[in-house]
Amino acid sequence: MSAPQIPDNIREQFRLAADAAKSDQCQKAGEHYTECLSLLETVKDEQVSTHIAVQAMLGSAECAAKLWKWDVVIKIAESLLNFVGEFPDAELHYHYALAHLHLGRLAQCTEITAKALELFPGDKGLLGLKERCEYHTERKRLEVTERVKLMSEGE
């Protein structure tokens, strides 16, 4: 199957976004990805339109993660899930779970990572994130246990 025929104006926005991201100008890259999405109405082919939307959303999520905008990562990931029904790669699973980890949502991080590892077994990034989730979950459990112990001693 050949690569989708992306219109030149959108292809240029993708190029500008990639250049900005490589230069650590993630805010600028995000603006270019947003422009790609705004130009979707000019694309007549549904398959090409879907491809552009998915790629722009993936790029936006990656940029948001680099900027530590975890709520934005989650919003993009959930929008993409609603749009295509599944994540196309391990990278978005990783960023989605990492966002939950950074926001202290350990159960969600663990659940997302477990599902992702079913789809992408052996992915090193996901395996490392699974370990981080387990570590933080255990730390949280120990903190709660210690607090309960201190509270019961104070009675």
Side-chain angles (χ1 to χ4, degrees):
M1 185 174 179
S2 63
Q5 294 300 313
I6 299 172
D8 290 340
N9 59 338
I10 297 174
R11 187 179 306 281
E12 178 64 8
Q13 290 300 317
F14 273 117
R15 187 191 65 73
L16 292 169
D19 289 349
K22 287 176 190 169
S23 301
D24 285 331
Q25 297 175 344
C26 290
Q27 187 71 37
K28 188 74 170 164
E31 292 169 13
H32 290 295
Y33 287 125
T34 299
E35 182 63 18
C36 290
L37 292 171
S38 72
L39 293 170
L40 280 179
E41 63 190 37
T42 66
V43 178
K44 304 296 182 230
D45 185 313
E46 186 176 331
Q47 185 179 9
V48 173
S49 179
T50 299
H51 173 78
I52 292 167
V54 168
Q55 294 307 310
M57 292 170 88
L58 288 171
S60 294
E62 188 173 327
C63 288
K66 286 181 180 179
L67 294 169
W68 287 52
K69 293 183 176 181
W70 303 117
D71 287 328
V72 174
V73 172
I74 290 170
K75 182 180 174 187
I76 293 169
E78 289 173 350
S79 293
L80 188 56
L81 266 179
N82 289 331
F83 184 62
V84 293
E86 62 186 24
F87 291 149
D89 63 12
E91 186 84 12
L92 189 57
H93 282 281
Y94 175 85
H95 289 307
Y96 188 42
L98 184 64
H100 283 288
L101 176 66
H102 278 283
L103 293 174
R105 300 172 185 159
L106 301 176
Q108 291 93 330
C109 178
T110 301
E111 180 183 338
I112 293 163
T113 305
K115 286 180 182 176
L117 282 167
E118 289 175 14
L119 297 170
F120 304 97
D123 182 272
K124 290 182 181 180
L126 291 170
L127 289 169
L129 187 55
K130 178 184 177 209
E131 288 178 11
R132 287 174 65 188
C133 288
E134 290 168 350
Y135 169 79
H136 288 286
T137 300
E138 181 61 16
R139 268 189 63 200
K140 188 71 164 174
R141 187 191 67 75
L142 291 172
E143 286 174 16
V144 169
T145 301
E146 186 62 27
R147 272 194 227 137
V148 168
K149 181 180 172 186
L150 290 171
M151 287 173 58
S152 66
E153 290 173 357
E155 291 180 356

